[in-house]
Amino acid sequence: MAAAAECDVVMAATEPELLDDEEAKREAETFKEQGNAYYAKKDYNEAYNYYTKAIDMCPKNASYYGNRAATLMMLGRFREALGDAQQSVRLDDSFVRGHLREGKCHLSLGNAMAACRSFQRALELDHKNAQAQQEFKNANAVMEYEKIAEADFEKRDFRKVVFCMDRALEFAPACHRFKILKAECLAMLGRYPEAQSVASDILRMDSTNADALYVRGLCLYYEDCIEKAVQFFIQALRMAPDHEKACIACRNAKALKAKKEDGNKAFKEGNYKLAYELYTEALGIDPNNIKTNAKLYCNRGTVNSKLRKLDDAIEDCTNAVKLDDTYIKAYLRRAQCYMDTEQYEEAVRDYEKVYQTEKTKEHKQLLKNAQLELKKSKRKDYYKILGVDKNASEDEIKKAYRKRALMHHPDRHSGASAEVQKEEEKKFKEVGEAFTILSDPKKKTRYDSGQDLDEEGMNMGGDCGMLECFPKMLQRETSGPGNFFFQFG
């Protein structure tokens, strides 16, 4: 009796379990079917919920994990989907769609090698599977893009790296590594808004991503927002203390900031030699920092202009605008140096560039001044003809005239060749023309101001010929006992 009772107890306990297991399977199938219906309607969140209920009821069914993996993939949650796909093939290694989904998740996350293994296994189970064949090709293409991008990054061909990463991301849309590499190259190309956008998208999903923090800092660093950049580099290093790129960038940013500030201080104190040395040292810290280096070149150009090394100043400003062709201050500095070295055409070109960019009254006046000096430079330089400074006095002009007229008078060169005689006669006439203008206060004022001299009442020669007129003028200037004009040796 005791034995029979014990057996009954055992049977009573077993039968309900068997019934519950069958009921669980049926209920799980119902949940699966409901999940399928929502999946077909593209309501992936509800589909996920029902597949999860099916799994809870029957956790050993590979297809339920496979279905939930497919749903998670549609929701863009590839890492979670990968876990479900892997569980599905652990439960049933012959589950072809499970291997395909595992491979697809690996590929979407950027692990092309692991994806190849999954697709190969699917092909072993079904060698004619067209999807597996195509996905296997896609995975190999991604590996090839990775290889090319790595080589091109070493060559600093950042445009090609961006191209390769764009192609790879078509197959691996959830790969943060590819996105970070693309963003870093965009930053190196000066396409900062695009780089910032990529990094920000990643940080929205993962605020502790050290690589994305590094790229954000890199963009700020290259935009010459060095203090903010350092904050991002420090944050990246908190997340990943061994982040080599963030460490180097942080060190460079701090060094660049310190050298630039020291150079500015020396300049303000009038210590131009020290300022030059500090700006030069700063330029050697990071050749990739285009914007900051443009400012450093312009600053050093300003130092050189203070030291009256105008050719060096022009070269520094030219380097600045090569790095940043929108840098107005560098154009203005170079234009002034061109004015100081009487390279007026170059000065006009720079001032035109500035005025086209910023149409201010000040820039317009600078352009007009340069155009006036250019116009004046194209006329005969009467001061140069007489060999006097532009600030020469009336007596200095007269003395220079006498000397030059004597030097070039045709009678002195009567024995020379016809060619020499012609050249000397030309110079003699120019000397007389220069004296006619510079000895007349009214004409001299018009000449100095850049006004035309051939207007009515301003003609210089009158009716007399040059050779007749100028000796008479010279004779008047040199009349008296000391007259030496016609006393040639």
Side-chain angles (χ1 to χ4, degrees):
M1 291 290 296
E6 187 176 338
C7 187
D8 288 341
V9 170
V10 171
M11 290 192 63
T14 303
E15 281 184 3
E17 285 184 9
L18 291 171
L19 289 172
D20 286 347
D21 186 51
E22 290 299 323
E23 286 177 9
K25 287 181 180 179
R26 285 195 296 272
E27 194 166 351
E29 277 296 305
T30 301
F31 287 141
K32 185 194 82 169
E33 293 301 327
Q34 288 176 297
N36 289 349
Y38 281 114
Y39 187 94
K41 290 189 286 187
K42 298 185 180 180
D43 188 345
Y44 301 117
N45 286 309
E46 278 302 306
Y48 171 83
N49 292 334
Y50 279 99
Y51 289 140
T52 300
K53 289 178 181 180
I55 290 170
D56 290 342
M57 296 301 296
C58 194
K60 300 295 183 181
N61 189 306
S63 69
Y64 297 167
Y65 286 100
N67 286 2
R68 191 169 72 174
T71 303
L72 287 166
M73 289 167 69
M74 297 306 295
L75 291 168
R77 293 157 61 179
F78 291 100
R79 204 161 294 282
E80 296 171 72
L82 177 61
D84 275 354
Q86 288 174 326
Q87 179 63 14
S88 75
V89 296
R90 275 195 291 269
L91 291 169
D92 181 2
D93 186 51
S94 65
F95 186 27
V96 175
R97 280 187 293 178
H99 288 292
L100 284 171
R101 287 165 184 155
E102 180 187 9
K104 189 68 175 174
C105 289
H106 278 308
L107 187 56
S108 296
L109 292 165
N111 191 344
M113 192 172 289
C116 280
R117 288 195 294 268
S118 296
F119 297 136
Q120 281 177 326
R121 178 58 183 151
L123 288 168
E124 287 170 8
L125 295 167
D126 179 5
H127 69 278
K128 292 183 179 180
N129 190 296
Q131 184 185 353
Q133 291 170 352
Q134 184 58 52
E135 294 292 0
F136 184 73
K137 289 179 183 178
N138 294 344
N140 277 292
V142 169
M143 284 195 287
E144 186 63 23
Y145 285 130
E146 279 191 84
K147 183 180 176 182
I148 295 169
E150 185 179 349
D152 287 328
F153 189 88
E154 290 298 316
K155 297 177 195 172
R156 301 184 64 78
D157 189 348
F158 301 121
R159 283 185 177 81
K160 198 167 179 183
V161 177
V162 170
F163 172 82
C164 287
M165 289 300 95
D166 279 337
R167 300 290 79 76
L169 284 164
E170 290 175 6
F171 303 114
C175 181
H176 286 180
R177 184 164 48 89
F178 293 169
K179 290 179 181 179
I180 289 295
L181 180 56
K182 175 186 174 179
E184 185 176 357
C185 290
L186 287 170
M188 300 299 279
L189 291 167
R191 293 160 62 180
Y192 307 120
E194 294 172 76
Q196 289 271 30
S197 177
V198 174
S200 296
D201 286 345
I202 293 172
L203 289 170
R204 273 193 288 272
M205 293 182 280
D206 178 10
S207 62
T208 64
N209 189 296
D211 290 324
L213 290 167
Y214 159 71
V215 170
R216 283 290 304 277
L218 195 66
C219 290
L220 291 165
Y221 171 60
Y222 286 150
E223 290 183 289
D224 199 38
C225 300
I226 294 180
E227 285 187 26
K228 288 183 179 179
V230 168
Q231 293 173 12
F232 274 97
F233 293 143
I234 291 171
Q235 197 175 345
L237 290 167
R238 285 199 193 105
M239 298 299 112
D242 296 328
H243 199 294
E244 186 178 357
K245 288 182 177 179
C247 185
I248 293 170
C250 191
R251 185 169 63 244
N252 284 347
K254 289 179 177 178
L256 202 53
K257 181 174 180 288
K259 286 289 182 187
K260 185 181 176 185
E261 288 177 351
D262 288 347
N264 292 347
K265 182 182 177 184
F267 180 83
K268 288 175 183 176
E269 292 172 353
N271 192 342
Y272 301 130
K273 185 178 179 182
L274 177 59
Y276 177 89
E277 291 172 357
L278 289 166
Y279 289 141
T280 302
E281 289 172 15
L283 281 164
I285 292 172
D286 184 2
N288 295 320
N289 195 322
I290 304 298
K291 209 153 194 175
T292 303
N293 286 345
K295 291 182 179 180
L296 289 168
Y297 271 121
C298 187
N299 287 0
R300 195 173 73 174
T302 304
V303 170
N304 276 322
S305 70
K306 290 288 186 182
L307 295 169
R308 304 311 294 167
K309 296 180 179 180
L310 297 177
D311 289 338
D312 290 342
I314 289 170
E315 183 180 354
D316 277 339
C317 293
T318 299
N319 286 328
V321 297
K322 280 181 181 177
L323 293 176
D324 182 1
D325 63 2
T326 66
Y327 193 12
I328 296 298
K329 188 175 179 181
Y331 284 110
L332 288 169
R333 172 58 55 196
R334 186 172 69 175
Q336 184 56 56
C337 291
Y338 281 140
M339 292 290 285
D340 292 342
T341 53
E342 299 184 0
Q343 299 180 65
Y344 300 120
E345 286 188 9
E346 290 81 356
V348 167
R349 188 167 58 244
D350 277 354
Y351 282 132
E352 283 177 340
K353 170 79 174 176
V354 170
Y355 186 62
Q356 287 168 5
T357 306
E358 293 182 359
K359 295 185 184 297
T360 67
K361 288 183 179 179
E362 181 187 358
H363 295 159
K364 185 176 182 179
Q365 188 59 49
L366 288 169
L367 175 58
K368 285 181 70 176
N369 292 346
Q371 289 170 333
L372 177 60
E373 291 301 322
L374 175 61
K375 179 183 176 182
K376 288 163 65 175
S377 72
K378 290 183 181 296
R379 306 174 310 174
K380 291 179 181 178
D381 187 341
Y382 292 137
Y383 292 101
K384 188 175 182 181
I385 289 170
L386 292 182
V388 295
D389 185 77
K390 290 181 180 180
N391 297 316
S393 66
E394 187 177 345
D395 284 343
E396 288 172 330
I397 290 171
K398 285 180 180 179
K399 287 178 182 177
Y401 165 63
R402 291 169 186 157
K403 180 179 178 182
R404 295 287 172 134
L406 181 61
M407 185 187 303
H408 299 297
H409 195 280
D411 290 352
R412 169 165 278 200
H413 303 283
S414 58
S417 66
E419 187 177 348
V420 170
Q421 286 186 30
K422 187 175 181 181
E423 182 63 27
E424 291 300 325
E425 183 179 338
K426 178 184 174 185
K427 290 180 180 178
F428 178 71
K429 290 179 179 180
E430 286 179 341
V431 167
E433 185 181 332
F435 182 70
T436 300
I437 299 301
L438 300 184
S439 63
D440 184 315
K442 192 174 181 181
K443 291 178 181 178
K444 183 175 183 295
T445 299
R446 290 179 66 84
Y447 175 78
D448 288 342
S449 66
Q451 296 179 59
D452 292 331
L453 298 171
D454 55 355
E455 296 176 6
E456 187 179 353
M458 284 308 208
N459 57 311
M460 298 168 295
D463 293 328
C464 66
M466 281 293 189
L467 287 175
E468 296 173 358
C469 186
F470 288 139
K472 291 176 185 176
M473 292 165 57
L474 186 61
Q475 200 167 15
R476 285 198 300 271
E477 293 296 331
T478 58
S479 60
N483 188 333
F484 58 86
F485 183 81
F486 295 105
Q487 298 173 8
F488 299 113

